[in-house]
Amino acid sequence: SLGANILLRYLGEEGDAAPFAGAASLANPFDLLKANEIFHGSFYDRRLSQSMYAMLKRNDHHFAALPEKYDVHRALQSCSVKEFDEYITRVTFGWPSVEEYYRLSSSALSIPHIRVPTLCLNALDDPIAPSLCIPYHDIQSNDAVLLGTTRRGGHIGWVRIADPTGAPWCDAVVLQFFDALLGDVRRRPAEQEQEETLGPAGEEQRQQGTASAAMS
């Protein structure tokens, strides 16, 4: 969800310098501004804002010490995530407006610049990360990013019918993706070491063997 958005935003900003062999993104809203416009005022928006209210209420003494910066009273009256972000989140991180915060924090901006192999899983019926926010074209244009969508699943609700109380379906998919990546990462040094040991003659022999196999 929001953590996936933060991760992909980071990967895009770092590009080739990102210190990861691979990454996975689950239920990413991608476009925070558009996602909020779609789910604003919904049941989920109200539930999330209630959770934020409870969290702020438990810690309001920390913010009350900075009355010139935070309007805690208005934040506690928030009826939506956007209102809470207006009075708390965007102020904390110095954004001039909540719209600017949403727009420039959206991981959709980072998709073209991601260089780490990344798996993205989204449910098309997700009420918090709407399918309309998925940057299909940019994902298709980047060989490092793989998108998987399901017709059902809600917001990270990929329950396995065979074992509804066990690990969700997405866990196995992500583990398979990482296993494949790690296998590739482990193979590369071994292949490089073999090429360095054999030298040019070994590379020529390998190419001849490949050509022979192709002709047969």
Side-chain angles (χ1 to χ4, degrees):
S1 188
L2 195 57
N5 182 78
I6 294 171
L7 173 62
L8 265 58
R9 194 76 181 96
Y10 167 78
L11 292 178
E13 290 175 349
E14 292 298 303
D16 292 320
F20 299 111
S25 159
L26 305 180
N28 189 343
F30 289 107
D31 186 330
L32 301 183
L33 188 59
K34 185 185 294 185
N36 185 267
E37 289 174 354
I38 293 173
F39 96 107
H40 182 74
S42 67
F43 167 80
Y44 302 97
D45 190 19
R46 293 192 296 272
R47 290 294 294 174
L48 284 172
S49 64
Q50 289 170 4
S51 297
M52 291 176 168
Y53 169 89
M55 178 180 62
L56 179 59
K57 192 66 177 175
R58 290 194 302 269
N59 299 278
D60 59 354
H61 56 284
H62 295 297
F63 296 92
L66 300 168
E68 71 284 355
K69 185 174 183 179
Y70 295 102
D71 191 337
V72 177
H73 176 70
R74 296 190 70 176
L76 288 172
Q77 294 179 324
S78 299
C79 297
S80 68
V81 172
K82 186 176 182 180
E83 287 181 13
F84 184 91
D85 284 340
E86 171 63 37
Y87 298 120
I88 299 295
T89 312
R90 71 101 187 159
V91 176
T92 300
F93 295 102
W95 291 99
S97 69
V98 70
E99 288 81 12
E100 195 77 347
Y101 158 54
Y102 287 165
R103 187 174 67 84
L104 295 179
S105 298
S106 296
S107 59
L109 300 173
S110 292
I111 297 298
H113 312 293
I114 292 175
R115 297 295 175 263
V116 170
T118 301
L119 171 66
C120 299
L121 292 179
N122 280 66
L124 299 180
D125 65 345
D126 192 326
I128 296 175
S131 60
L132 290 175
C133 300
I134 299 174
Y136 290 101
H137 180 267
D138 286 339
I139 291 175
Q140 188 175 17
S141 300
N142 188 342
D143 292 338
V145 183
L146 175 65
L147 172 66
T149 62
T150 59
R151 287 183 299 167
R152 299 286 183 267
H155 191 64
I156 321 182
W158 288 293
V159 177
R160 289 188 299 157
I161 297 176
D163 186 14
T165 61
W169 165 84
C170 58
D171 286 13
V173 177
V174 171
L175 288 175
Q176 288 175 8
F177 177 73
F178 285 150
D179 282 344
L181 286 180
L182 290 174
D184 185 52
V185 169
R186 291 178 184 128
R187 278 195 301 272
R188 269 182 263 163
E191 291 173 354
Q192 183 177 0
E193 182 179 352
Q194 184 180 25
E195 290 175 3
E196 291 174 353
T197 302
L198 294 176
E203 174 62 18
E204 182 179 352
Q205 183 179 4
R206 186 188 67 79
Q207 291 179 355
Q208 289 176 349
T210 302
S212 299
M215 285 188 292
S216 61

